Amino acid sequence: MQISHQKISGWGNYPQIQANVATPDTLEELQQYIISQPSIITRGNGKSYGDASLGSHVVSTSRFKKLISFDSENGIVECESGMLLAELLPIIVPEGWFFQVTPGIKNITIGGAIASDVHGKNHPGKACFSSHLLSFKLMQADGQMITCSRTENTDVFWQSCGGMGWSGVITSARIQLMRISSTRMNQRTIRCENLEQLFKAFSENESSAYAAAWVDTTSKGKSFGRGALHLADHQTGTQALNWPRKKAFTIPAFAPEWLLNSLTIRVFNELIYRRNKSQDKIVEMDAFFYPLDVLNHWNRMYGRRGLVQYQFCLPENQAFEGMQKILNHISRSSETPFLSVLKRHGDRPPEAINSFPIKGYSLALDFPRTKGICAFAKELDEMVWSFNGKIYLTKDACSKPKMGRVDPHGFSPKFSSALRERIS
Ligand SMILES: Cc1cc2nc3c(=O)[nH]c(=O)nc-3n(C[C@H](O)[C@H](O)[C@H](O)COP(=O)(O)OP(=O)(O)OC[C@H]3O[C@@H](n4cnc5c(N)ncnc54)[C@H](O)[C@@H]3O)c2cc1C
């Protein structure tokens, strides 16, 4: 087992901490490490934005990458928890299968997908990753391994889905996939002149399998909250299926910090608005589901200071009023989000107690990290709380875990991240 002392961070590059990172090769090594350390946190591929996978002692699953089985008749895959979605796609897609739920990035691990209980652009129809998870194996604080499913260790199963790694180390999982017969999507873009139109467009297009909107949070007056809703459905077809092995461009270095300021962000949003004309087109799945993956290290555009993503969800009956007030508050402040994404969410399965989405709408805001951003996030927290909303802990770098409405006290004290330690 390799153990190294290194500086690590999440995707937001903030915060950065010095950590002992242990990378076990076997379950026995993992067990020894868990038993020997008073406090550890698991790290998958470090693509959570904030400090969910940061701690003084980190255990990496990067060597747990074995495909255990793939039943291509029934679309059931079992693999170790360090496998990336990107590593599974070239195996499952040619056999006519895809993930029922996928986030907007494919370079995340299966363990990370479970621990954050990730959602996609189809939450009203398919809920979160946990809804299609058949079982997983978990190594607990005493080093013992248990299997968790809807019939075995059920409480731990649901506690771990969205439990941010606080229940133990997930070592492998079995997942039910979804049938596809084409790698193409029918995509419709609806450009909307303001926030009201965006909400209307969401509710008038509930039959689309996928929906997510880009929002221009810098627009004011009549075009306040303008944006573009992207809808999509899978095409059907009879041609052979392939997952493209495309090369992504890499942003080679950190951009200077002045590059993203309120003026350039406004110009950038204006350009996106003009580009997003209402239209129908056919796009490849890779481009639809993972548009940001075409640029490796796009987080470097924010410079060395990094970025803080703040994603919150408000219940349906308060979502429009809440979003309006929160966006107004942001536009009066000195903090300007670069990119913002609005999603609609459906009912939360009652047993998925730690999943982020609640029936309503969520907005994800990418803020360049400034000196005042955490104080500002606390102002947003108060507003979100007053609208009975919550935040997504896997994006968080500033708020208290209670904002995610996940109870940290219910978990073993052994598994603790910087996020969890912000409890008091
Ligand atoms: C560009 C981008 C787009 C994104 N889009 C979405 C989206 O659309 N929807 C969405 O839901 N999320 C989205 N995310 C967030 C991302 O999907 C989650 O943060 C995911 O958990 C990251 O997985 P990871 O393997 O990198 O985990 P890490 O970042 O390493 O860890 C995330 C959490 O999972 C825990 N964990 C990881 N592996 C294990 C394990 N084996 N056992 C126990 N706990 C574990 C960690 O302790 C930590 O709490 C996006 C992130 C990026 C960068």
Side-chain angles (χ1 to χ4, degrees):
M1 170 166 60
Q2 185 189 324
I3 300 185
S4 60
H5 190 68
Q6 48 178 282
K7 199 191 256 184
I8 55 169
S9 64
W11 182 247
N13 281 322
Y14 173 79
Q16 301 186 356
I17 64 161
Q18 287 291 340
N20 286 310
V21 181
T23 311
D25 290 287
T26 62
L27 291 175
E28 291 70 31
E29 287 181 354
L30 173 65
Q31 187 182 44
Q32 280 164 18
Y33 192 70
I34 290 181
I35 294 169
S36 66
Q37 295 301 327
S39 168
I40 56 170
I41 190 66
T42 316
R43 186 166 166 89
N45 204 29
K47 293 294 186 284
S48 48
Y49 279 74
D51 51 8
S53 68
L54 307 187
S56 57
H57 289 81
V58 167
V59 62
S60 163
T61 58
S62 61
R63 293 195 187 147
F64 291 162
K65 281 201 176 282
K66 212 167 43 218
L67 177 71
I68 298 168
S69 65
F70 175 35
D71 172 353
S72 59
E73 283 293 300
N74 298 302
I76 296 174
V77 70
E78 183 169 14
C79 65
E80 290 186 331
S81 61
M83 268 195 103
L84 303 176
L85 304 189
E87 291 164 339
L88 284 164
L89 285 165
I91 301 169
I92 62 172
V93 171
E95 298 295 327
W97 297 99
F98 187 59
F99 301 109
Q100 305 256 9
V101 166
T102 177
I105 173 171
K106 54 185 181 284
N107 286 318
I108 67 156
T109 63
I110 291 296
I114 298 170
S116 299
D117 202 7
V118 295
H119 61 270
K121 297 169 181 165
N122 57 350
H123 189 266
K126 296 277 177 121
C128 285
F129 201 78
S130 58
S131 287
H132 315 283
L133 179 62
L134 301 174
S135 64
F136 59 82
K137 292 204 164 77
L138 182 79
M139 198 174 278
Q140 296 183 294
D142 57 3
Q144 295 307 306
M145 192 93 115
I146 57 168
T147 300
C148 303
S149 70
R150 283 171 179 73
T151 52
E152 235 180 313
N153 297 304
T154 314
D155 290 353
V156 189
F157 179 87
W158 289 114
Q159 187 194 38
S160 305
C161 296
M164 305 314 298
W166 302 340
S167 63
V169 182
I170 296 159
T171 59
S172 64
R174 283 180 79 229
I175 302 148
Q176 176 65 61
L177 304 168
M178 175 181 80
R179 259 276 175 233
I180 51 163
S181 62
S182 166
T183 54
R184 291 185 165 178
M185 311 286 297
N186 293 323
Q187 183 184 299
R188 165 163 293 183
T189 298
I190 304 174
R191 189 156 82 176
C192 300
E193 285 168 18
N194 52 43
L195 193 64
E196 202 175 344
Q197 277 192 15
L198 259 183
F199 269 72
K200 197 159 163 261
F202 265 108
S203 53
E204 284 175 355
N205 291 282
E206 287 179 5
S207 60
S208 285
Y210 301 93
W214 161 78
V215 186
D216 177 0
T217 49
T218 64
S219 54
K220 292 193 179 11
K222 273 193 198 150
S223 49
F224 173 77
R226 68 182 179 177
L229 175 63
H230 299 290
L231 305 163
D233 290 284
H234 289 277
Q235 273 201 350
T236 47
T238 49
Q239 284 175 346
L241 302 172
N242 272 311
W243 188 257
R245 289 188 189 266
K246 277 192 201 139
K247 268 208 157 175
F249 295 103
T250 298
I251 299 206
F254 285 101
E257 282 171 13
W258 52 259
L259 187 69
L260 289 188
N261 57 54
S262 55
L263 180 68
T264 54
I265 291 176
R266 212 171 284 281
V267 171
F268 172 80
N269 277 271
E270 177 67 39
L271 293 176
I272 304 188
Y273 184 74
R274 290 188 191 183
R275 238 189 105 217
N276 271 292
K277 297 207 170 76
S278 295
Q279 59 173 323
D280 289 351
K281 62 178 180 181
I282 295 169
V283 293
E284 284 295 326
M285 280 169 70
D286 196 26
F288 176 75
F289 287 104
Y290 311 114
L292 293 172
D293 285 352
V294 295
L295 272 184
N296 282 329
H297 296 298
W298 61 254
N299 50 353
R300 288 180 179 162
M301 282 190 312
Y302 289 79
R304 287 188 191 280
R305 65 183 166 175
L307 73 145
V308 167
Q309 185 175 104
Y310 188 89
Q311 184 173 4
F312 64 96
C313 193
L314 301 182
E316 197 165 38
N317 59 348
Q318 308 200 59
F320 182 66
E321 186 198 344
M323 294 282 172
Q324 258 189 328
K325 290 205 167 140
I326 290 170
L327 286 178
N328 244 319
H329 188 68
I330 293 169
S331 75
R332 285 199 306 269
S333 78
S334 55
E335 311 293 343
T336 314
F338 181 46
L339 203 63
S340 310
V341 175
L342 183 67
K343 285 184 198 148
R344 198 171 143 259
H345 299 285
D347 277 318
R348 181 159 63 151
E351 60 279 22
I353 45 172
N354 291 331
S355 297
F356 160 67
I358 45 176
K359 189 173 175 144
Y361 287 83
S362 76
L363 185 65
L365 303 153
D366 283 359
F367 290 99
R369 209 260 303 175
T370 58
K371 278 202 182 104
I373 194 63
C374 279
F376 186 66
K378 287 191 181 95
E379 290 174 25
L380 298 183
D381 282 351
E382 277 176 30
M383 297 183 80
V384 168
W385 197 258
S386 74
F387 284 105
N388 296 313
K390 61 191 294 202
I391 66 159
Y392 195 8
L393 293 180
T394 206
K395 309 287 178 77
D396 182 33
C398 301
S399 305
K400 292 195 173 166
K402 81 160 194 187
M403 282 305 303
R405 300 190 191 259
V406 176
D407 178 14
H409 300 286
F411 293 85
S412 154
K414 170 84 83 173
F415 301 100
S416 190
S417 55
L419 163 70
R420 186 175 177 184
E421 279 154 24
R422 239 187 346 265
I423 192 165
S424 55

